[in-house]
Amino acid sequence: MGADVTGVSRRAYAKSRGISEAVVRKYLSQGKLSDALLPDGTLDVEKADQLLAASITRDRAQPVELRTAKARHLRAKVRRVGDAVRDLERSLVHADRVGPIASVVGIIVANALRPIAERMAPIIAGMNGKDAHLALRNAVSDALEIISSTIVAGVDGAKGGEERELELDELSEPQLLAVQANLQADKLELERALAKGILCQVADVVEAHEEQMVVSKTLVLAMPGRVAPHAESETAEQLKVRITEEIKDALAAGPPVEVRDENQLAGPFAELAGQEVLRRALIESSRAINRPPPRMSVPDWADAYRSLSTSAGAVGGPWQTHRVEVARGPMMAVTEPDVETITIMCCTQTMKTSVLENTLGYFAHLDPAPMLVLQPKDEMADAFSKERIAPMIASSPALRAIMGDRRTRTGADTLRFKKFPGGFLAMASAGSPSNLAMRAIRIVLLDEIDKYETSKEGDPVALAEERTATFTTNRLSIRACSPTWEETSRIYKSYMEGDQRKPFVNCPHCGHAQVLDFFAHVGWNKNEDGSHRPETGHIHCEACGAEWSEAERLKIVSTKHAIQHRQTKVFHCCGSRQDPLIERRWEWDDEHQVGYAICKECGRRGVPNRHASFWASKLYSPFISVAGLVEKWLSAQGDQDTKQTFYNTQLGVPFKAETHRAIDAHSLAARAEPYDGTKELPEGVVVLTAGVDVQSMGATGQGRLEVEVVGWGLGEESWSIAIAAFEGDPASPQVWSQLDQLLMAPYKHPLGFNLYLAGACIDSGGHNAQDVYRFVRERSGGNIWAIKGTNADRGVNWSPIWPDATQERPKQRYRTGYRPTIVGVNAAKWAVHQQLLVDEPGPGYCHFPTGRPDNWYHQLTSEELLIERKDGVEQRRWKLRKSMLNEALDCRVYAYAALNGLYQVHQLNLEKQAASLFRNAAELARQQYGTAEVRVEPRRRTIRHSLD
Ligand SMILES: [Zn+2]
Ligand SMILES: [Zn+2]
């Protein structure tokens, strides 16, 4: 075969001949096309045509021209153009006709609303505000009901847009070509008219219409609240004017209400299918929007309409709110009158997500509105959509009907944007504020607000809530998060601003209502030797002292209405300061499941409920036992970070850091011990590192290198071994050779061997970076690292002390442009700070030798951690105290960074290191003294370990 003969694939051949691939395969298997098969498995087109023609002729015993396949091909092409034209016709509408079509809805709305003024004014005149409000609200509700049902009739009566199929089968090839040309001309014309504005997109019109409808309805719903207060003081005539004005304003915001003769508007494309599509879409969305707000609570909605999805995506049975009863309170607050903001400060995995999900589902289904979910990061917004919203829609038929149907999806639907009749759900990240400035939103759900970062535009919480300004009377903002640090936690601040509801439960033994507090109500037993027995963890009643069994607790936390959320915010009334937790006076509202704090004197409510704030700890969770919680608490001891995690994620309360406990330079100096590590190391030292601070010559002309050598033992207990300052210009080799001597020196260990420095970090952040690189390059094998402090630290997100292995410097060390290791100095300072706070020898404790100048201790404690909120976001930064130097601290921080470098780069393990050193010492001793009796063991100590 010549190289010029190339075949086509079976698929391509089948396609080009208008037959299916299966047919080609069949012919091949029957041997009919064997002669056309090329060695590479492709088909020789010409030969295949001949064989196929012959074979078909033989099979059917009638002449079939090849032109038939070509004609079929042409027909398919024409049909495609036809489809495109039809799609255009269905998606476009004549701009002149939008008004008349929309006014069909507008007129229904106006006819239902206008009579309210005439009818209600005489009824409410003279009524008190509360009764008038109720009467007007019912009238509005009735009117919306009428609108909704009238529109239903409208949609049923609307004529269906039948689709006509192109009849092409009887056409000859020239005729087909003519049809194709015509269709292409139609298509062009439609596109030109769209560009000129003669036509417009149905989807755009529907969106604008829905926005109008929503604003219009909001104004109607606000009317009772604005008119009712005047009912007692104004005449029926005055009230009628007032109601008329309010309704006029509402109608002005909605679709057009003027009648025009639709038939007189006969421009080109008068008969576009899009007009019918638009009519149906407007009616459908208007019906959804105009439903009066439901008299149903969110938990009842979830119980009735939600199913749980299993991890496999299957339906896992009906939702039951009482399974995690503590979540009922915040869900009830969604429909509680006057509540505008809900704050949920809670431990992980109790109520936050379910409240957010059910609120979304409730509004999408029953009270459609524009909604926004804000997550701290883009990835989290995507994950919320995929892992929360998608399964909820898939497993709940009511939601699937409005949000899950592929056919009703508009082009606007994406992972971050779900459209449904009367509203949409947008998911955005607080990190991209431009997302926020788009549209008016009625319901904002702000998730993980302690993790939001403030941008140039401002605080994301404020920005998002500003979007709700249009919806003055029925907007809602839910803020949710586990708290972080007390000083800066957004959610904690928000909780304190709110009415501070707490979950009360009744003791199963004495009936006393109390708020479960881990530190006040949880106890456990100890063994005789004083060790803890977390498995005995239990709750005891604050009134009768009875121990609750785990079964009793579980029953409470998963029984409908067994938990009562009551306001606990301190208030002033009748001249006295009243603390609801002390006065214990509440008015229980059974319909909305909330205990309003009331004044002990006048009996009136003392705390406004505009901002309902909720809190819950894991003691209200059915997913963890009290014993399990005690175990977590016990293992969090001794470590500030794990303790903080316990407070935040288990107790749902903010953590007050002990960082502000100032480290006192004098008390550090006072505990100096008489050892000289340069002569003999303390016995506990198993690894030596050094930190070097480089001071450039600068204006003072006083350049120098400052060094500290630190010995590290088990649990990062440390001994300062040596400090040194080499005066001179770091650009000259002299100071570096002095440093070299120090770094290479042996240190005598009391067990008979020498220890050498295992690693050192040299600051290369100043003017002498190149000098540092040169020094380090020459000692590339020795774990001497040139480092720079990271500048990636922002807010509370600090970089790790040592970069991950993946971010390690490039292997080519000799390339120009040596890259220093980027060290998380903030985090390293934090660790050193924590060590300096340890005041008992043992893990983390810092030993100092006698003879250090006072100034050195002052430098070591020269910086303090400032926690502040800047532009709404938490900032933690180290601040040098007034007119102090900090070189000693820097050296210590770099020495600690070097230890972390050894962990990361050489998998150093202090315990293993100690064991091997002591084994070597024993071996050494055996060789020297010829006895196997020498037993040297490290002192037993608990090593700090981190918890997950
Ligand atoms: Zn009791
Ligand atoms: Zn009072």
Side-chain angles (χ1 to χ4, degrees):
M1 286 277 163
D4 53 335
V5 185
T6 49
V8 300
S9 72
R10 293 163 200 195
R11 174 187 299 218
Y13 181 77
K15 217 174 154 197
S16 75
R17 292 301 173 260
I19 55 179
S20 78
E21 205 183 339
V23 173
V24 175
R25 222 179 299 126
K26 195 179 93 192
Y27 288 142
L28 275 167
S29 69
Q30 292 171 350
K32 287 173 183 164
L33 285 176
S34 313
D35 287 350
L37 202 58
L38 299 175
D40 63 352
T42 58
L43 290 166
D44 179 340
V45 176
E46 213 173 309
K47 204 163 231 165
D49 281 353
Q50 287 166 10
L51 290 168
L52 200 58
S55 130
I56 290 166
T57 310
R58 262 204 314 279
D59 284 357
R60 298 199 185 154
Q62 56 174 312
V64 174
E65 286 179 63
L66 268 177
R67 298 178 62 86
T68 313
K70 219 171 158 189
R72 211 176 315 171
H73 187 50
L74 182 59
R75 270 202 293 276
K77 225 167 120 188
V78 174
R79 212 163 259 137
R80 270 203 300 280
V81 184
D83 285 349
V85 171
R86 203 184 55 208
D87 284 351
L88 268 177
E89 285 178 341
R90 289 176 57 81
S91 69
L92 298 175
V93 60
H94 209 287
D96 274 356
R97 298 209 157 214
V98 170
I101 295 173
S103 77
V104 172
V105 173
I107 290 161
I108 294 174
V109 174
N111 286 344
L113 293 178
R114 278 177 181 151
I116 293 179
E118 182 90 31
R119 190 159 47 85
M120 294 307 293
I123 296 176
I124 63 163
M127 272 190 181
N128 69 47
K130 205 175 163 190
D131 291 344
H133 190 276
L134 197 66
L136 285 173
R137 211 173 64 183
N138 286 336
V140 165
S141 204
D142 290 348
L144 291 173
E145 204 76 72
I146 289 167
I147 294 168
S148 195
S149 52
T150 312
I151 288 175
V152 174
V155 80
D156 292 339
K159 61 173 199 264
E162 66 276 12
E163 296 178 2
R164 65 198 156 94
E165 267 286 303
L166 285 167
E167 283 300 334
L168 303 173
D169 288 347
E170 303 304 316
L171 302 184
S172 68
E173 196 180 323
Q175 285 171 323
L176 279 172
L177 286 171
V179 171
Q180 185 185 9
N182 266 332
L183 285 170
Q184 270 161 345
D186 284 354
K187 188 164 169 256
L188 266 179
E189 227 175 313
L190 286 168
E191 284 165 351
R192 279 231 319 272
L194 175 63
K196 279 187 181 168
I198 298 169
L199 300 179
C200 48
Q201 299 271 9
V202 168
D204 293 346
V205 177
V206 172
E207 196 168 299
H209 172 84
E210 285 184 358
E211 233 166 89
Q212 290 174 337
M213 293 290 298
V214 167
V215 174
S216 171
K217 182 187 174 190
T218 306
L219 290 171
V220 172
L221 289 171
M223 186 272 286
R226 294 157 68 112
V227 172
H230 307 276
E232 222 158 346
S233 60
E234 290 187 353
T235 65
E237 203 49 42
Q238 284 169 314
L239 287 168
K240 191 179 145 191
V241 171
R242 198 181 283 280
I243 297 173
T244 306
E245 284 301 312
E246 293 279 346
I247 287 178
K248 216 166 105 190
D249 284 352
L251 290 175
V257 286
E258 82 273 25
V259 191
R260 273 195 285 165
D261 186 357
E262 213 181 314
N263 297 320
Q264 285 176 1
L265 298 157
F269 324 107
E271 284 311 308
L272 285 177
Q275 284 165 202
E276 194 48 42
V277 175
L278 175 65
R279 197 188 308 273
R280 285 168 158 266
L282 293 188
I283 285 169
E284 197 175 319
S285 66
S286 304
R287 187 173 53 170
I289 295 167
N290 279 293
R291 260 196 316 247
R295 301 281 166 90
M296 188 182 207
S297 68
V298 174
D300 287 347
W301 176 85
D303 289 342
Y305 293 105
R306 248 199 103 176
S307 294
L308 289 165
S309 53
T310 65
S311 54
V315 177
W319 173 276
Q320 291 173 304
T321 302
H322 69 81
R323 281 189 190 162
V324 188
E325 178 63 17
V326 74
R328 186 182 302 273
M331 285 192 236
M332 294 301 296
V334 169
T335 51
E336 182 183 325
D338 301 330
V339 170
E340 203 166 84
T341 307
I342 297 173
T343 291
I344 301 168
M345 174 176 80
C346 60
C347 57
T348 51
Q349 290 160 4
T350 37
M351 56 184 187
K352 193 188 71 152
T353 310
S354 59
V355 175
L356 296 183
E357 288 170 353
N358 291 339
T359 302
L360 291 172
Y362 168 87
F363 281 106
H365 182 204
L366 297 183
D367 191 8
M371 299 190 274
L372 172 72
V373 175
L374 204 62
Q375 293 284 347
K377 295 246 154 52
D378 282 331
E379 313 85 81
M380 294 167 85
D382 290 346
F384 190 81
S385 176
K386 277 188 229 162
E387 291 157 24
R388 297 291 170 191
I389 301 303
M392 178 170 76
I393 295 173
S395 63
S396 308
L399 294 177
R400 209 161 57 221
I402 51 169
M403 299 170 91
D405 190 346
R406 242 167 224 291
R407 286 166 305 166
T408 60
R409 263 184 213 169
T410 69
D413 256 25
T414 59
L415 188 59
R416 302 271 192 91
F417 189 84
K418 309 272 177 221
K419 185 90 189 59
F420 48 84
F424 59 81
L425 166 60
M427 280 152 283
S429 94
S432 327
S434 51
N435 293 344
L436 301 180
M438 300 281 287
R439 330 164 180 234
I441 303 286
R442 195 182 125 203
I443 315 290
V444 280
L445 305 180
L446 306 162
D447 198 6
E448 301 282 345
I449 67 169
D450 273 15
K451 294 184 186 149
Y452 290 1
E453 283 180 26
T454 298
S455 67
K456 285 197 295 290
E457 286 81 356
D459 181 27
V461 172
L463 284 175
E465 289 180 349
E466 269 169 33
R467 308 306 321 144
T468 65
T470 325
F471 303 96
T472 41
T473 54
N474 61 354
R475 66 179 166 197
L476 178 69
S477 171
I478 303 185
R479 309 167 182 167
C481 200
S482 301
T484 46
W485 301 48
E486 186 172 312
E487 293 86 342
T488 57
S489 169
R490 267 202 189 94
I491 197 75
Y492 177 64
K493 193 164 164 258
S494 183
Y495 177 79
M496 297 307 281
E497 282 166 5
D499 59 7
Q500 300 172 19
R501 299 185 190 185
K502 286 197 167 136
F504 283 73
V505 292
N506 294 336
C507 170
H509 304 271
C510 72
H512 173 75
Q514 53 204 297
V515 180
L516 299 179
D517 179 307
F518 183 80
F519 297 110
H521 297 134
V522 172
W524 60 92
N525 304 339
K526 287 183 181 178
N527 289 318
E528 275 173 18
D529 63 358
S531 57
H532 300 282
R533 293 182 56 206
E535 72 279 8
T536 62
H538 58 269
I539 288 173
H540 50 80
C541 169
E542 69 181 20
C544 71
E547 274 186 25
W548 298 8
S549 70
E550 188 60 14
E552 283 169 335
R553 187 190 72 90
L554 280 174
K555 183 158 179 244
I556 291 169
V557 301
S558 54
T559 296
K560 187 173 181 180
H561 295 168
I563 298 176
Q564 294 192 336
H565 293 269
R566 305 181 188 177
Q567 296 180 320
T568 67
K569 191 177 195 158
V570 172
F571 64 96
H572 292 263
C573 192
C574 296
S576 67
R577 178 187 183 278
Q578 302 183 38
D579 183 342
L581 283 170
I582 294 169
E583 307 298 342
R584 296 181 69 87
R585 282 168 194 269
W586 291 280
E587 171 197 342
W588 180 250
D589 178 335
D590 206 47
E591 187 187 346
H592 301 102
Q593 290 287 307
V594 51
Y596 295 112
I598 54 169
C599 171
K600 63 180 172 186
E601 302 294 337
C602 67
R604 272 191 264 239
R605 289 185 193 174
V607 185
N609 70 334
R610 234 177 147 71
H611 183 169
S613 57
F614 293 85
W615 159 84
S617 78
K618 285 259 158 112
L619 288 175
Y620 293 89
S621 165
F623 306 124
I624 186 173
S625 65
V626 175
L629 211 53
V630 170
E631 196 167 323
K632 282 193 183 213
W633 167 246
L634 290 173
S635 51
Q637 296 310 300
D639 185 288
Q640 291 284 303
D641 285 350
T642 45
K643 225 179 196 172
Q644 183 193 356
T645 307
F646 182 84
Y647 272 72
N648 297 163
T649 65
Q650 307 300 309
L651 302 187
V653 294
F655 187 63
K656 196 163 175 54
E658 287 178 37
T659 44
H660 294 289
R661 214 179 101 195
I663 306 168
D664 177 22
H666 297 288
S667 61
L668 287 186
R671 74 191 204 195
E673 302 159 52
Y675 68 88
D676 181 353
T678 57
K679 293 205 173 82
E680 189 178 73
L681 292 172
E683 197 189 57
V685 174
V686 300
V687 171
L688 288 168
T689 66
V692 182
D693 187 48
V694 179
Q695 294 289 318
S696 299
M697 287 298 276
T700 55
Q702 296 201 324
R704 67 186 177 280
L705 304 182
E706 291 215 6
V707 196
E708 185 188 9
V709 176
V710 182
W712 303 95
L714 294 180
E716 295 186 349
E717 186 169 3
S718 67
W719 289 264
S720 182
I721 301 303
I723 53 172
F726 305 120
E727 307 280 341
D729 186 354
S732 77
Q734 185 225 345
V735 288
W736 293 103
S737 67
Q738 285 177 307
L739 176 65
D740 209 19
Q741 276 178 21
L742 180 81
L743 296 185
M744 296 300 140
Y747 291 85
K748 193 165 170 287
H749 197 282
L751 292 179
F753 51 83
N754 282 335
L755 266 187
Y756 292 85
L757 274 172
C761 284
I762 307 178
D763 174 32
S764 67
H767 295 297
N768 295 96
Q770 294 307 323
D771 304 304
V772 177
Y773 298 163
R774 194 180 313 119
F775 179 79
V776 170
R777 261 203 302 257
E778 286 161 9
R779 288 152 191 80
S780 62
N783 298 330
I784 296 178
W785 292 289
I787 60 155
K788 260 175 92 161
T790 178
N791 50 21
D793 286 358
R794 244 167 235 119
V796 290
N797 304 316
W798 282 353
S799 312
I801 297 175
W802 202 263
D804 292 344
T806 50
Q807 299 157 8
E808 206 32 40
R809 292 164 302 159
K811 286 276 182 286
Q812 312 92 309
R813 285 156 197 252
Y814 292 94
R815 270 175 54 185
T816 48
Y818 174 92
R819 280 174 52 194
T821 302
I822 305 298
V823 164
V825 173
N826 281 325
K829 269 186 189 158
W830 168 251
V832 167
H833 195 91
Q834 292 302 112
Q835 289 163 353
L836 291 172
L837 278 171
V838 176
D839 42 23
E840 244 175 77
Y845 185 83
C846 306
H847 298 264
F848 307 109
T850 44
R852 292 279 162 85
D854 281 351
N855 180 34
W856 185 78
Y857 289 103
H858 282 296
Q859 288 193 18
L860 206 55
T861 56
S862 59
E863 292 188 20
E864 59 186 344
L865 186 64
L866 282 192
I867 303 180
E868 56 195 14
R869 194 173 271 287
K870 217 170 160 185
D871 303 327
V873 80
E874 181 178 315
Q875 307 276 350
R876 287 193 286 162
R877 62 186 176 89
W878 294 98
K879 186 176 171 286
L880 192 62
R881 284 181 219 174
K882 232 177 170 182
S883 65
M884 286 180 97
L885 296 172
N886 64 345
E887 283 89 345
L889 176 61
D890 282 344
C891 288
R892 172 57 68 115
V893 166
Y894 301 152
Y896 184 65
L899 181 68
N900 281 266
L902 295 172
Y903 292 155
Q904 281 276 334
V905 181
H906 297 284
Q907 287 74 49
L908 170 70
N909 173 318
L910 287 171
E911 271 187 313
K912 279 190 192 155
Q913 177 76 2
S916 101
L917 275 187
F918 293 121
R919 262 197 307 278
N920 289 347
E923 176 63 15
L924 201 66
R926 196 184 60 76
Q927 284 170 7
Q928 278 178 359
Y929 305 110
T931 163
E933 296 301 301
V934 182
R935 281 182 59 221
V936 195
E937 276 181 9
R939 274 178 294 165
R940 272 250 155 262
R941 281 200 185 129
T942 25
I943 305 295
R944 249 198 320 168
H945 58 284
S946 59
L947 296 156
D948 54 13

